[in-house]
Amino acid sequence: MLGFSILAALVAAGSIDAESAADQQVRDAIKAPDLTVVHLWAPWCSNCQTELKNGGWLKMAKENPKTKFIFVSVWNNGNDGRSMLERFGLTNQPNVTITAHPGPRSGEGKIKQFAGLPLSWIPTTWVYKGGDLRYALNYGEVRFPVLQQFLEDSESEWSHKGEPKLEE
């Protein structure tokens, strides 16, 4: 009983991060065999706003209907930013999921990792296939032609079989 009381006190004090529902939702989604793009963002972030304003995210979702896009609002006190995403046409895309981490923008509760990966900047964009992280864009605005290339590369099958080996 004492052990449980200590654990409960540590969780309440924030010493042990309990996994959020958004964390679990993303961890479950990225296990799928298809491509999943996880985009960590916040409505107050000017870089995130720029990505939305140029229409790149809407175009990506429309041009890649088999790819799942998960928009995770972070450092935003649990607000998912749905109203901003709605203004840019993303809420009605069948391959877009919107969720939020409950943590604040600063202070003790600000998360420093999400779904097992470090998080130090937004926007951050990760590309997964079959549970494997294929690409991580961790520091700033995504260039959508580059992201499109990453999606195409993630779908391709390649091997080094038959290639000459380097001599040591």
Side-chain angles (χ1 to χ4, degrees), residues 33-128:
D34 295 327
L35 288 175
T36 303
V37 174
V38 178
H39 184 63
L40 298 127
W41 76 292
W44 52 261
C45 168
S46 61
N47 291 338
C48 299
Q49 292 171 14
T50 298
E51 288 181 336
L52 291 168
K53 288 176 192 173
N54 72 23
W57 281 114
L58 180 58
K59 183 178 178 187
M60 289 298 297
K62 285 183 173 184
E63 291 181 358
N64 297 280
K66 292 182 181 179
T67 300
K68 288 186 249 168
F69 294 87
I70 304 174
F71 283 75
V72 183
S73 178
V74 296
W75 305 334
N76 201 35
N77 299 315
N79 179 338
D80 65 10
R82 182 175 298 273
S83 62
M84 181 174 284
L85 296 176
E86 186 172 14
R87 280 194 308 229
F88 295 99
L90 286 159
T91 57
N92 59 3
Q93 299 305 309
N95 56 339
V96 171
T97 300
I98 300 164
T99 190
H101 185 276
R105 184 173 175 177
S106 61
E108 288 293 317
K110 180 179 178 180
I111 61 168
K112 294 186 170 97
Q113 70 172 359
F114 184 83
L117 292 176
L119 175 62
S120 60
W121 188 267
I122 56 173
T124 287
T125 305
W126 300 323
V127 178
Y128 288 88

Side-chain angles (χ1 to χ4, degrees), residues 122-139:
I122 56 173
T124 287
T125 305
W126 300 323
V127 178
Y128 288 88
K129 183 174 183 185
D132 294 327
L133 178 64
R134 298 294 177 101
Y135 293 97
L137 304 159
N138 292 328
Y139 298 102

